[in-house]
Amino acid sequence: MWRFIEQPLRRPNFVSNKKMLMLALTAAVAIFAFGVGGLYTTGYPQRFGPQTLDIYKRALEKKFDWEGCNLSCEVKDPKIHITLIGDSHSTAIAHELDNSLASSGHSFSWRTNPGCPPLNGFNVSNSQSDTCSKLNSNIITSLTSNPEIQLVLMSAQWSLYSTGKGFDNSKGGVQQGAKNYYFDTDKNNHRKFTARDEAVISGYIEYIDTLLNNGIGVIFVDQIPVAG
């Protein structure tokens, strides 16, 4: 290995400056061409299967945005009767719910935000931000002010936000990205803290009660299994 790789590379004239320049230019042109190709083909969609592309197409038609619906989360359509709220896990069932409810004559919308469970008055540990809480407050205000809303479906990875622990299949497969947790007060700003767990669960219940007290039915969907 030393003789065939390291030793030749240590020779001063192994690669001339001209050859090195040509190699660098060739690599730069290749990378540039690949980038332009991705731009004009919208990311080389042929690398995905037809089922994935179909889901993506339907998501675009619904103007779904992985960054969440931000402060525009308002149910403006008076014909909407059923709404799904929750984190990104709820999106896994949004399209099929849309198809199923449409076939039975029900209008449907969803207001999902990645990493943002239905909680009011809580901060997330990674940034101490209350953005999620503000989004949820805006969502619940728009829902309760729309007399046509009959039913709200709530779906999220519930235990993640209360325990701060991701999915563990006990065989080495541990969910990545589960480093954040939600808390309501600085006193409860600790991952392993029973009072914080209880506060998050109470927050879920309070959110449901707000909807029920405004005459809106609620279906609480259990956690969607995590792959692994």
Side-chain angles (χ1 to χ4, degrees):
M1 186 69 69
W2 172 79
R3 174 178 295 179
F4 296 105
I5 297 179
E6 184 175 350
Q7 191 176 45
L9 288 175
R10 286 178 177 273
R11 295 173 184 168
N13 299 323
F14 178 70
V15 179
S16 65
N17 291 338
K18 184 177 180 180
K19 287 183 178 180
M20 184 64 72
L21 179 61
M22 291 301 298
L23 286 172
L25 288 174
T26 301
V29 170
I31 294 172
F32 177 78
F34 182 79
V36 171
L39 179 65
Y40 279 94
T41 61
T42 319
Y44 300 107
Q46 63 272 18
R47 61 197 171 103
F48 296 108
Q51 184 177 12
T52 302
L53 291 174
D54 180 59
I55 293 174
Y56 178 66
K57 179 181 178 181
R58 283 184 287 163
L60 290 179
E61 291 173 353
K62 289 291 181 180
K63 296 183 179 180
F64 176 73
D65 183 357
W66 273 105
E67 295 300 324
C69 52
N70 298 317
L71 298 179
S72 63
C73 294
E74 298 179 2
V75 182
K76 298 179 179 179
D77 187 350
K79 298 179 182 179
I80 295 296
H81 299 149
I82 302 173
T83 296
L84 170 69
I85 62 174
D87 62 5
S88 60
H89 284 240
S90 63
T91 310
I93 60 176
H95 298 290
E96 292 308 318
L97 277 173
D98 189 19
N99 291 336
S100 178
L101 291 170
S103 65
S104 59
H106 294 287
S107 55
F108 174 72
S109 69
W110 66 84
R111 300 292 184 270
T112 56
N113 293 280
C116 182
L119 287 170
N120 275 332
F122 282 75
N123 293 336
V124 62
S125 60
N126 65 333
S127 63
Q128 318 297 311
S129 172
D130 63 347
T131 301
C132 176
S133 179
K134 291 179 179 178
L135 291 174
N136 278 313
S137 178
N138 188 54
I139 290 173
I140 204 166
T141 298
S142 64
L143 291 173
T144 55
S145 62
N146 187 343
E148 296 297 323
I149 294 293
Q150 301 171 358
L151 183 66
V152 169
L153 290 79
M154 297 174 60
S155 174
Q157 194 177 5
W158 306 110
S159 63
L160 172 63
Y161 306 110
S162 60
T163 65
K165 298 178 181 178
F167 174 75
D168 186 346
N169 67 3
S170 72
K171 297 181 180 180
V174 181
Q175 180 184 2
Q176 299 297 312
K179 300 179 180 179
N180 305 319
Y181 56 87
Y182 281 78
F183 64 96
D184 55 342
T185 64
D186 291 337
K187 180 181 177 180
N188 290 339
N189 187 7
H190 304 281
R191 181 184 299 276
K192 298 180 179 179
F193 198 51
T194 303
R196 188 192 65 78
D197 297 354
E198 294 174 349
V200 171
I201 294 173
S202 295
Y204 294 151
I205 297 173
E206 181 181 344
Y207 204 97
I208 294 172
D209 283 343
T210 301
L211 293 170
L212 292 175
N213 291 335
N214 281 273
I216 300 174
V218 175
I219 293 180
F220 187 89
V221 182
D222 201 356
Q223 295 188 159
I224 298 172
V226 179

